[in-house]
């Protein structure tokens, strides 16, 4: 172990010596750097090494790097060699990687390393980090999403991002968050193509876009949503994840929004929360239609939970719906529920009110 540590210390001496010569580090600081690194090198190579030692070494190197870059900038130095300028960055990568080889399932540590790779624009190390992190943590949805977003937003590679989502879903088919992000990818990709087509049309230049009308009408996104419904238990909360994606589009996507609600209610017709979600969406444009949806929901699902969901919704949006008392009384008068259940509903109404 001592020979390996000594070898590493000897490798860093030219870097420290050059920084001293340039005035970036004083003689005392240079000796302190060598001593501190030596101590950390021994701690890393102990038979039973500890994660806090790795993390402290990383923190030390990050602070040293920040100090070094700040002083180089203050001194206006331009003749710093690549070794003195970038060797510490390589050392930080090395410490992270050595630590992660021992703590392969430490997701927060992987995320910290991934963020560091992005911070220093280390594209190759970032790609390798994602591969290794996902190999050891295939059930971590957050890592899959980060990897796909990196391909989509940084590398501008939609095909690679799509492949990552498909691979992720093999391990996490029941993850609503993963399905939502995959849906977002397909929707935003179409929006990007629509913008590009709009620019090409405005400039009277021949469009090079070969996307079909079906694709531009969100066909792939619709397929993703249908597949999601067969794997997850859809609630109003998870549905809102999909609808929020569509709401934020710059282009009119009412057909896609209508498809989401129709498909969801077709598969889960007895879910009061989905009916209420649809009523909320329609309410902004057509109050009468929203009331009709509530009537339809109650006719289809005459349960205490359904009526409570509807009453809660009506009280929340009283200003838009107007007088809700007649509708509520109508529901109760037409209800086939027993007297005791009716008393429960009245009690719940008073509590909500």
């Amino acid at each position: 172990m001592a020979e390996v540590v000594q070898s590493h210390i000897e490798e860093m001496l030219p870097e420290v010596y050059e920084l001293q010569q340039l005035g970036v580090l004083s003689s005392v600081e240079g000796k302190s750097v060598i001593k501190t690194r030596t101590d950390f090198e021994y701690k890393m190579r102990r038979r039973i090494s500890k994660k806090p030692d790795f993390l402290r070494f990383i923190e030390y190197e990050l602070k040293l790097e920040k100090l070094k870059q700040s002083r180089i900038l203050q001194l206006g130095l331009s003749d710093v060699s690549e070794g003195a300028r970038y060797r510490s960055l390589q050392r930080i990568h090395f410490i992270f990687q050595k630590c992660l080889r021992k703590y392969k399932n430490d997701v927060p540590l992987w995320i910290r390393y991934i963020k560091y790779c992005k911070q220093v624009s280390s594209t190759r190390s970032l790609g390798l980090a994602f591969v290794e992190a996902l190999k050891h943590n295939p059930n971590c949805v957050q890592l899959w999403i980060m990897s796909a977003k990196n391909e989509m937003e940084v590398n501008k590679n939609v095909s690679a991002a799509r492949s990552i989502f498909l691979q992720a879903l093999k391990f996490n088919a029941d993850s609503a968050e993963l399905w939502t992000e995959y849906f977002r990818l397909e929707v935003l990709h179409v929006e990007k193509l629509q913008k590009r087509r709009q620019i090409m049309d405005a400039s009277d230049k021949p469009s090079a876009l070969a996307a079909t009308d079906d694709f531009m009408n969100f066909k792939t996104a619709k397929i993703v949503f249908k597949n999601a419904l067969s794997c997850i238990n859809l609630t109003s909360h998870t549905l809102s994840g999909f609808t929020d994606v569509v709401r934020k589009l710059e282009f009119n996507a009412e057909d896609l929004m209508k498809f989401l609600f129709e498909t969801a209610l077709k598969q889960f017709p007895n879910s009061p929360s989905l009916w209420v979600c649809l009523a909320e969406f329609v309410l902004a444009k057509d109050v009468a239609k929203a009331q009709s949806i509530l009537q339809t929901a109650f006719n289809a699902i005459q349960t205490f939970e359904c009526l409570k969901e509807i009453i809660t919704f009506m009280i929340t949006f009283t200003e838009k719906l107007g007088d809700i008392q007649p509708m509520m009384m109508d529901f109760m008068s037409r209800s086939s529920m027993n007297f005791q259940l009716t008393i429960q509903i009245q009690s719940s109404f008073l509590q909500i009110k």
Side-chain angles (χ1 to χ4, degrees), residues 134 144-153 155-170 178-179 181-193 211-212 214-216 218-224 227:
L134 291 169
W144 286 107
I145 292 174
M146 288 177 67
S147 179
K149 283 188 173 182
N150 181 67
E151 290 295 341
M152 177 69 176
E153 298 170 4
N155 299 334
K156 310 298 182 186
N157 191 335
V158 178
S159 297
R162 187 181 290 124
S163 296
I164 289 169
F165 275 122
L166 291 173
Q167 185 72 15
L169 289 166
K170 290 181 181 178
L178 200 54
W179 281 107
E181 290 302 324
Y182 184 18
F183 176 79
R184 188 192 307 277
L185 166 75
E186 297 296 351
V187 169
L188 294 183
H189 181 45
V190 171
E191 182 186 40
K192 183 179 178 181
L193 293 178
T212 64
D214 280 345
F215 180 79
M216 296 299 282
F218 303 102
K219 182 178 180 180
T220 308
K222 290 175 181 178
I223 293 172
V224 171
N227 290 338

Side-chain angles (χ1 to χ4, degrees), residues 4 15 48 177 274 285 290:
V4 175
E15 168 201 346
I48 305 177
E177 184 183 5
L274 296 186
K285 294 184 177 180

Side-chain angles (χ1 to χ4, degrees), residues 91-107:
R91 187 175 295 106
I92 294 169
H93 278 292
F94 172 78
I95 301 167
F96 263 120
Q97 290 164 5
K98 187 172 181 61
C99 183
L100 286 164
R101 278 196 293 272
K102 183 169 184 179
Y103 302 98
K104 299 181 178 70
N105 302 116
D106 191 329
V107 173

Side-chain angles (χ1 to χ4, degrees), residues 16-130:
V16 175
Y17 179 72
E18 181 180 348
L19 292 174
Q20 286 178 323
Q21 292 290 100
L22 293 169
V24 176
L25 295 176
S26 67
S27 176
V28 174
E29 287 174 330
K31 290 178 182 178
S32 175
V33 167
I34 292 171
K35 182 180 183 305
T36 304
R37 284 177 174 172
T38 302
D39 292 342
F40 276 124
E41 287 283 347
Y42 274 109
K43 288 177 181 178
M44 276 202 310
R45 285 170 173 77
R46 286 187 301 198
R47 183 172 297 176
I48 305 177
S49 55
K50 300 176 182 178
K51 187 168 73 169
D53 291 332
F54 287 98
L55 298 181
R56 281 193 286 268
F57 196 3
I58 290 169
E59 282 300 321
Y60 174 77
E61 289 294 340
L62 287 172
K63 288 177 181 178
L64 181 61
E65 175 63 18
K66 186 177 180 180
L67 175 67
K68 182 184 77 176
Q69 294 299 340
S70 174
R71 289 184 178 177
I72 288 174
L73 191 64
Q74 287 176 357
L75 296 169
L77 299 175
S78 58
D79 57 344
V80 183
S81 69
E82 288 193 4
R85 193 181 290 272
Y86 301 114
R87 181 64 179 165
S88 56
L89 299 181
Q90 296 171 358
R91 187 175 295 106
I92 294 169
H93 278 292
F94 172 78
I95 301 167
F96 263 120
Q97 290 164 5
K98 187 172 181 61
C99 183
L100 286 164
R101 278 196 293 272
K102 183 169 184 179
Y103 302 98
K104 299 181 178 70
N105 302 116
D106 191 329
V107 173
L109 184 60
W110 278 111
I111 291 174
R112 185 176 177 184
Y113 180 47
I114 287 166
K115 287 180 178 178
Y116 172 72
C117 291
K118 289 183 177 181
Q119 181 186 335
V120 297
S121 303
S122 185
T123 308
R124 183 173 178 276
S125 295
L126 177 62
L128 294 173
F130 274 126

